[in-house]
Amino acid sequence: MSTVHVGNDTFSSTLTLTELETKLQRFGFFRCHRSYLVNLQRIAELISYSRNSYTLILKGHPAPKLPLSRTRLEELRTLISF
């Protein structure tokens, strides 16, 4: 079971996160951490707290903060070209 957040709304899904990732990847979604799938267009900022710790700041009020797995950092850099 997964929880999907769209704006201020929250929905439950019977799909696993892996199943959601497969279905949404072609629409610009990225698995930033084992527990999170994020829309690449919603990323506002990438913050490095230490050499091995990263956080994604998303657009919105309040701005949600999500962890970025260090193993996913290079893939993210390639996808958003920074």
Side-chain angles (χ1 to χ4, degrees):
M1 168 103 48
S2 300
T3 302
V4 179
H5 297 274
V6 180
N8 292 327
D9 296 324
T10 303
F11 305 94
S12 294
S13 172
T14 57
L15 298 174
T16 66
L17 202 55
T18 301
E19 292 168 333
L20 282 171
E21 178 183 17
T22 301
K23 291 180 178 286
L24 296 174
Q25 190 171 21
R26 65 185 172 144
F27 297 106
F29 284 78
F30 173 71
R31 184 96 174 246
C32 63
H33 188 271
R34 66 182 177 157
S35 301
Y36 297 98
L37 193 60
V38 65
N39 183 340
L40 291 171
Q41 294 178 356
R42 301 292 300 162
I43 297 174
E45 190 175 354
L46 172 64
I47 296 175
S48 172
Y49 288 108
S50 68
R51 184 174 181 193
N52 294 322
S53 178
Y54 300 92
T55 299
L56 294 175
I57 307 296
L58 304 183
K59 297 173 187 171
H61 297 287
K65 298 177 183 179
L66 301 178
L68 173 63
S69 169
R70 63 180 169 223
T71 60
R72 300 286 185 145
L73 177 62
E74 287 305 316
E75 184 180 353
L76 179 64
R77 283 185 174 165
T78 301
L79 288 171
I80 61 175
S81 302
F82 73 85

